[in-house]
Coordinates of all heavy atoms in Angstrom, one line a residue:
C135 N -4.7 -13.1 5.7 CA -3.5 -12.9 5.0 C -2.5 -14.0 5.2 O -2.2 -14.8 4.3 CB -3.0 -11.6 5.5 SG -1.4 -11.0 4.9
Q295 N -0.9 -15.1 -1.6 CA -2.4 -15.2 -1.4 C -3.1 -16.1 -2.3 O -4.2 -16.5 -2.1 CB -3.0 -13.7 -1.4 CG -2.5 -12.8 -0.3 CD -2.4 -13.4 1.1 OE1 -3.1 -14.4 1.4 NE2 -1.6 -12.9 1.9
G332 N 2.7 -10.2 3.9 CA 2.1 -9.1 3.2 C 2.4 -7.8 3.8 O 3.0 -6.9 3.3
Q333 N 2.0 -7.7 5.1 CA 2.0 -6.4 5.8 C 3.4 -6.2 6.4 O 4.2 -7.2 6.7 CB 1.0 -6.4 6.9 CG -0.4 -6.5 6.3 CD -1.5 -6.5 7.4 OE1 -2.0 -5.4 7.8 NE2 -1.8 -7.7 7.8
R593 N -4.2 -7.2 -5.7 CA -3.6 -5.9 -5.6 C -3.2 -5.3 -6.9 O -2.9 -6.0 -7.9 CB -2.4 -6.1 -4.7 CG -2.8 -6.3 -3.3 CD -1.8 -7.1 -2.5 NE -2.4 -7.2 -1.1 CZ -3.3 -8.0 -0.7 NH1 -3.8 -8.9 -1.6 NH2 -3.8 -8.0 0.5
H599 N -3.8 -1.5 0.0 CA -5.1 -1.9 0.6 C -6.2 -0.9 0.4 O -6.5 -0.6 -0.8 CB -4.9 -2.1 2.1 CG -4.0 -3.3 2.3 ND1 -3.3 -3.5 3.5 CD2 -3.6 -4.3 1.5 CE1 -2.6 -4.6 3.4 NE2 -2.7 -5.1 2.2
Ligands
MO904 MO1 -2.0 -9.2 3.6

Side-chain angles (χ1 to χ4, degrees):
C135 178
Q295 299 313 337
Q333 299 176 90
R593 287 149 177 83
H599 296 161

